[in-house]
């Protein structure tokens, strides 16, 4: 999955509803996107990473009503006080942030829609059926569950509403065959396999045309030729991926050039709850407009609380700061990707997170770094000794990169991180076996002692680069403390393809004893 020429590796997260503040489920997706894009940047690729907010529709409008403010005031406040600061505090390096209330979005949505109308993909019709405002989705009767005589949305466990409106429809059904062919010809286009199977069987079951406008409220983008209607919020929201990069602009304009450099998206990262929107409706919209479809839609699993999808509406939402205040930001970024296979549901538990923090981050990684810098200070006057090579470590490092790179590129974050952390364990084993503190007791062993310390420092050099996409703040500190920044330049400029080349850490660099990378947890809290 690498791009050549001017095309950037373009990754998107869903744009989140701003009816409430973010919880760790939202952070899970965005952190995964951030880690993957940092990995691709570290591979030396051009990258474009988009996130943003979904601001129209009834869900947001009703929340604003309940709070007695206008929807625009509500979304402005939440975006500025909750969403953007949240991503900043989690160290998310997105290149752009799109809001669906921005003119750059609304204008391009209207132009796109008019284009579909003009080419005969849209017609007037009547929609009658159930709707879940939590999902902002027209439901099929078979999608619902029944409790106490009421029909409920299985995701939100809340009663659905009946909609009966004259709307505009998109001829979605015309794209069933092209979509089936697309997924047959491009198995990578929808991942993991379970997600692709779900989409294929959904398509095989037949798909009806889609109502793409609403007439009973006005918080949305007006349909250009019928301004009594607003664009259905999902139709509006999905287009963000393309409006943010200049959809429909003159190829010679700034937007048009950006579009050529980014489209089609390489990965749309989504939770499995919104897979069908992304793998059925969205590519059909693009096909209708004659545009390339995304290269991959990847659906990850849910973070569960009490066996159910964690959500604010069920009062099970955990704010990222509840975790980062205790464990730190990098441990948060690491934990979910390390602990849960991407694509599978996983339960969050404080116990498991504490255990991994202590054994993998504080003991295996943090201690290795602090032991090394302390020993270089003590036995080598704080200077990295002459270069040395341990064939076992050198080949283990190469094998690590050979495993980690394809795993990360395939969004197997757990596999990629495991490979790197296994190398970390191996380096710990090397230090334990060589016992440099014993070698230091006899000056006759100085050369061997220095070799052991160089090999350990060089391994840490590689670990810092490999873990940088996952834990950028910690790895930057480690990079500084190895004296690498002064001699090798910024950590962000080190490439994955070169990381296994042994002997890069320049002898003679001054090691700086740094703060502890992963402090002991305060158990009194
Ligand atoms: N606004 C739509 C998406 C439009 S994209 C064109 C939406 N927003 S949302 O705020 O509900 O966020 C949905 C996304 O947040 C999910 O797809 C998933 O990526 C993430 N998650 C929300 N809750 C989650 C969990 N409990 N677990 C994991 N991810 C979750 O849907």
């Amino acid at each position: 999955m690498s791009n050549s020429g001017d095309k950037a590796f373009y990754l998107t997260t869903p744009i989140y509803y701003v009816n409430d503040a973010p919880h760790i489920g939202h952070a899970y997706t965005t952190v995964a996107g951030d880690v993957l894009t940092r990995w691709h940047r570290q591979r030396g690729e051009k990258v474009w990473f988009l996130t943003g907010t979904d601001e129209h529709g009834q869900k947001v409008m009703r929340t604003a009503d309940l709070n007695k403010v206008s929807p625009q005031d509500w979304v402005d406040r939440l975006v500025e006080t909750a969403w953007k600061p949240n991503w900043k505090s989690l160290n998310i390096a997105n290149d752009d942030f799109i809001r669906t209330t921005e003119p750059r979005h609304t204008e391009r949505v209207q132009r796109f829609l008019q284009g579909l109308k003009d080419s005969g993909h849209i017609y007037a019709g009547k929609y009658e059926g159930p709707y879940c405002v939590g999902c902002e989705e027209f439901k099929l009767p078979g999608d619902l569950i029944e409790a106490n005589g009421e029909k409920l949305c299985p995701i939100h466990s809340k009663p659905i509403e009946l909609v009966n409106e004259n709307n505009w429809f998109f001829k979605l059904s015309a794209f069933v065959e092209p979509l089936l062919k697309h997924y047959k010809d491009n198995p990578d286009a929808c991942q993991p396999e379970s997600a692709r199977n779900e989409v294929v069987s959904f398509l095989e079951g037949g798909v009806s045309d889609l109502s793409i406008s609403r007439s009973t409220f006005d918080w949305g983008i007006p349909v250009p030729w019928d301004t009594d209607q607003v664009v259905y919020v999902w139709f509006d929201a999905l287009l963000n991926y393309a409006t943010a990069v200049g959809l429909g602009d003159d190829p010679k304009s700034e937007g048009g050039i950006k579009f050529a450099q980014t489209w089609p998206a390489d990965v749309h990262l989504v939770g499995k709850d919104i897979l069908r929107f992304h793998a059925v409706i969205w590519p059909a919209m693009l096909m209708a407009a004659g545009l390339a479809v995304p290269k991959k839609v990847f659906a990850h699993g849910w973070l569960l609380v009490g066996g159910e999808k964690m959500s604010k509406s069920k009062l099970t939402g955990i704010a990222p700061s509840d975790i980062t205040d205790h464990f730190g930001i990098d441990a948060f970024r690491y934990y979910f990707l390390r602990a849960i296979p991407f694509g599978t549901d996983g339960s969050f538990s404080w116990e498991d997170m504490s255990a991994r923090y202590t054994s993998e981050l504080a003991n295996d990684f943090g201690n290795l770094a602090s032991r090394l810098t302390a020993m270089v200070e003590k036995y080598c006057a704080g200077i990295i000794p002459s270069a040395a090579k341990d064939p076992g470590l050198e080949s283990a490092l190469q094998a690590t990169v050979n495993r980690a790179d394809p795993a990360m590129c395939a969004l197997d974050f757990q596999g990629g991180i495991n490979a790197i952390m296994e190398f970390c364990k191996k380096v710990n084993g090397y230090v334990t076996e060589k016992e440099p503190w014993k070698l230091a007791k006899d000056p006759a062993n100085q050369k061997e002692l220095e070799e052991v310390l160089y090999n350990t420092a060089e391994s840490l050099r590689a670990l810092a680069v490999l873990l940088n996409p996952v834990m950028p703040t910690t790895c930057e500190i480690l990079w500084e403390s190895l004296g690498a920044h002064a001699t090798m330049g910024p950590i962000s400029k080190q490439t994955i393809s070169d990381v296994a080349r042994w002997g890069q850490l320049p002898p003679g660099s001054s090691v700086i004893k740094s703060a502890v990378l992963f402090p002991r947890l305060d158990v009194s809290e």
Side-chain angles (χ1 to χ4, degrees), residues 13-19 23-30 53-54 59 83 134-135 156 234 237-241 269-274 278 300-304 308-311:
T13 72
I15 49 170
Y16 303 98
Y17 290 125
V18 280
N19 56 316
H23 59 61
I24 62 172
H26 307 120
Y28 180 52
T29 317
T30 305
T53 41
D54 190 354
K59 180 161 153 148
W83 286 86
C135 300
H156 291 90
W234 267 101
L238 287 162
L239 278 162
N240 91 87
Y241 304 129
L269 213 53
V270 299
K272 66 179 188 182
D273 45 335
I274 56 173
H278 285 82
H300 66 69
W302 286 337
L303 299 189
L304 306 175
E308 283 191 64
K309 178 178 178 238
M310 194 195 68
S311 78

Side-chain angles (χ1 to χ4, degrees), residues 210-230:
L210 176 73
S211 162
I212 54 147
S213 69
R214 298 293 308 274
S215 60
T216 46
F217 60 92
D218 64 359
W219 181 235
I221 303 174
V223 172
W225 63 89
D226 177 5
T227 49
D228 289 341
Q229 305 242 359
V230 292

Side-chain angles (χ1 to χ4, degrees), residues 14 135 137 139 155 179 183 188-203 234 238 241 268-284 294 296-302 309 343:
C135 300
E137 185 175 11
K139 297 280 183 183
I155 295 178
L179 284 168
Y183 290 119
D188 254 9
C190 185
Q191 290 283 322
E193 208 182 313
S194 53
R196 189 178 67 248
N197 292 342
E198 184 201 315
V199 166
V200 167
S201 61
F202 177 73
L203 285 165
W234 267 101
L238 287 162
Y241 304 129
H268 289 316
L269 213 53
V270 299
K272 66 179 188 182
D273 45 335
I274 56 173
L275 172 65
R276 285 186 202 170
F277 293 101
H278 285 82
V280 176
I281 298 175
W282 176 227
K296 190 193 290 290
V297 173
F298 194 104
H300 66 69
W302 286 337
K309 178 178 178 238

